[in-house]
Amino acid sequence: MRYLPLTDTDRGEMLQSIGASSIDDLFVDVPEVARLDGPIRDLPMHASEMAVEKHMRGLSKQNLAAADAAFFLGAGAYRHHVPASVDTIIQRGEFLTAYTPYQPEIAQGTLQMLFEFQTQVARLYGCAVANASMYDGSTACWEAVAMAGRVTKRNKAVLSGALHPHYTEVVKTMAKFTGDEIAASSPTVQAEPDNAGLIARIDDDTSCVVVQYPDILGRLPDLAEIAEAAHAKGALLIAVNTEPVALGAIQSPGELGADIVVGEGQAIGVGLQFGGPYLGLFAVRDKKHVRQMPGRLCGETIDADGRRGFVLTLSTREQHIRREKATSNICTNSGLCALAFSVHMTLLGEKGLRQLAAENHRLACLAADKLAAIPGVTVLNTSFFNEFTIVLDGDARQIVRDLAQDDILAGVSLARLYPGVEGFSRGLLVAVTETTSEEDIETLCSALKEKLS
């Protein structure tokens, strides 16, 4: 428990030093409607340490841990097995450094790791250059939209309706401050992605087209077709990947014509971690765009004695160059999460990643076949990797809540992702990874069969 030693006298002296008459003066910029008008209801003003600890332990017992349930949650955050060796290696002294490795002579371990990480991401994405990571997938998505605007000198981004809604909202939020036009569309629950509808929205003002691969419903859009249409209009294709394990089984976005590839790296090495911190991945297919990339890049060099060494090669961040010339205001990279990703990827190797992807797909196919045999369940997808959408004869959100009471986390209801959107109430997004046992699949099928009977 954090110990807060300040007395009322201490607080008074601090306020006097900064010229404030009360603590309320510190919040004058917060609109009154957003401020509390009194103490939080039902929260005691004080309690003993022992009482608080006991209360918090009681609250923690209400949680259902992923390892203690039949777990089918996905939608951008995936439960994979992270070897214990990852945690051991990331704690080694060679990888410890200050907040930013400005002094390469004392940060060689960190810099080399980031260099190797960049290489892994570039190969995974089928690109020429990757940066040293971003904060997470959603902010990396926005940075890609902003970069496309710089490259094309246009400010209209066309977003696929099957882009993760949280990513869409981040892009819309950031665009409020830049003046970019965001052409988003409503998602449709159908077996195949609406490539034709997306392509029809590309015009001569479009800077980029943003497509998720696999998409939010688990489907696999034809990136090559979309890339050709985007390039014909002078626009860039941005591919978003939230499940990097999928790229051990399907073609990389760069190979299919994506100009910028971004995504979430959480699935490899990082773990669910209660929702963060996570890891944004960012790469470009053409080296000529490297100076428009956000964040930092590490490079290989030779020191004064002719030995191989590593340095920060490019840092297009506002801390390093004049603010108005910066490509991004990102402050750092997700160094520890990038290290965990890189260690896990190194342990897997190309062969291991492909085997992991194959096992994910095998179990997902098994689950889809068994679910499709249940009366009242329809599998929507004709193609998928380890995540697919089912349509239930009932309210999916309520069914998810009911099954959670039996320690079954059945998936993410589309109504949760798209609240208030008509036609989504019966949709359920189901994710299956190598941590899902065949017994877990049987448990889900039995529970659904009983619920829908």
Side-chain angles (χ1 to χ4, degrees), residues 1-273:
M1 178 179 286
R2 198 173 188 185
Y3 176 52
L4 303 176
L6 297 180
T7 65
D8 289 339
T9 301
D10 295 330
R11 294 188 183 93
E13 290 175 354
M14 292 167 69
L15 289 169
Q16 186 177 5
S17 296
I18 62 174
S21 60
S22 69
I23 290 177
D24 290 338
D25 289 351
L26 305 180
F27 301 95
V28 292
D29 293 327
V30 179
E32 287 193 27
V33 68
R35 300 185 216 169
L36 289 171
D37 56 5
I40 299 175
R41 190 173 58 188
D42 299 327
L43 184 69
M45 295 302 293
H46 59 84
S48 69
E49 283 188 32
M50 289 188 294
V52 172
E53 288 171 357
K54 183 177 181 180
H55 178 70
M56 297 303 289
R57 279 196 300 270
L59 290 178
S60 70
K61 290 178 181 178
Q62 297 178 33
N63 291 336
L64 177 60
D68 297 332
F71 190 89
F72 298 90
L73 301 180
Y78 302 93
R79 182 182 177 226
H80 289 284
H81 174 68
V82 179
S85 49
V86 172
D87 189 54
T88 298
I89 294 172
I90 66 175
Q91 295 181 66
R92 287 181 62 94
E94 297 96 321
F95 304 121
L96 297 179
T97 184
Y99 173 66
T100 298
Y102 286 125
Q103 296 175 280
E105 64 274 17
I106 61 172
Q108 281 299 290
T110 293
L111 290 166
Q112 180 173 354
M113 177 278 297
L114 292 176
F115 181 82
E116 303 291 355
F117 166 84
Q118 292 169 180
T119 304
Q120 291 170 329
V121 174
R123 289 191 61 186
L124 187 69
Y125 279 176
C127 289
V129 185
N131 72 10
S133 80
M134 310 296 282
Y135 291 135
D136 59 19
S138 63
T139 49
C141 181
W142 159 252
E143 293 285 359
V145 170
M147 175 180 163
R150 294 191 296 272
V151 171
T152 63
K153 303 296 190 287
R154 302 173 180 177
N155 69 343
K156 178 183 177 182
V158 174
L159 273 53
S160 165
L163 176 65
H164 196 302
H166 297 171
Y167 285 48
T168 298
E169 288 303 311
V170 168
V171 170
K172 287 181 177 179
T173 297
M174 296 301 292
K176 290 178 183 178
F177 304 97
T178 62
D180 286 272
E181 179 186 350
I182 306 301
S185 67
S186 300
T188 55
V189 181
Q190 57 189 50
E192 295 292 340
D194 184 16
N195 281 3
L198 177 63
I199 289 171
R201 295 194 287 124
I202 306 172
D203 59 25
D204 293 332
D205 297 323
T206 301
S207 66
C208 61
V209 183
V210 184
V211 183
Q212 186 169 323
Y213 175 78
D215 68 21
I216 186 59
L217 301 184
R219 305 168 304 185
L220 295 168
D222 186 346
L223 291 186
E225 179 186 17
I226 301 169
E228 183 179 359
H231 296 158
K233 292 289 188 178
L236 303 183
L237 174 60
I238 298 172
V240 177
N241 171 264
T242 63
E243 170 54 293
V245 176
L247 299 176
I250 61 177
Q251 259 188 295
S252 69
E255 291 177 286
L256 295 172
D259 301 285
I260 307 173
V261 186
V262 299
E264 178 56 65
Q266 168 273 325
I268 297 179
V270 178
L272 289 170
Q273 298 190 142

Side-chain angles (χ1 to χ4, degrees), residues 327-407:
T327 62
S328 171
N329 66 355
I330 183 172
C331 294
T332 184
N333 63 294
S334 298
L336 185 60
C337 293
L339 173 59
F341 176 99
S342 191
V343 170
H344 193 182
M345 187 66 82
T346 302
L347 292 169
L348 285 169
E350 181 179 345
K351 182 179 179 181
L353 179 63
R354 294 191 184 279
Q355 290 176 339
L356 178 61
E359 178 65 2
N360 273 246
H361 186 56
R362 181 189 74 82
L363 287 166
C365 289
L366 177 65
D369 289 344
K370 288 184 175 293
L371 287 166
I374 300 172
V377 177
T378 302
V379 175
L380 181 72
N381 303 55
T382 55
S383 64
F384 57 87
F385 170 60
N386 68 351
E387 190 168 27
F388 53 88
T389 300
I390 61 176
V391 180
L392 307 176
D393 284 351
D395 183 87
R397 199 161 192 180
Q398 186 58 52
I399 290 172
V400 166
R401 292 192 187 104
D402 293 343
L403 294 187
Q405 301 301 313
D406 298 322
D407 294 351

Side-chain angles (χ1 to χ4, degrees), residues 70-74 367 408-412 429-432 436-437 440-441 444:
F71 190 89
F72 298 90
L73 301 180
I408 302 170
L409 301 178
V412 178
L429 191 60
V430 178
V432 180
T436 309
S437 67
D440 290 335
I441 295 171
L444 173 63

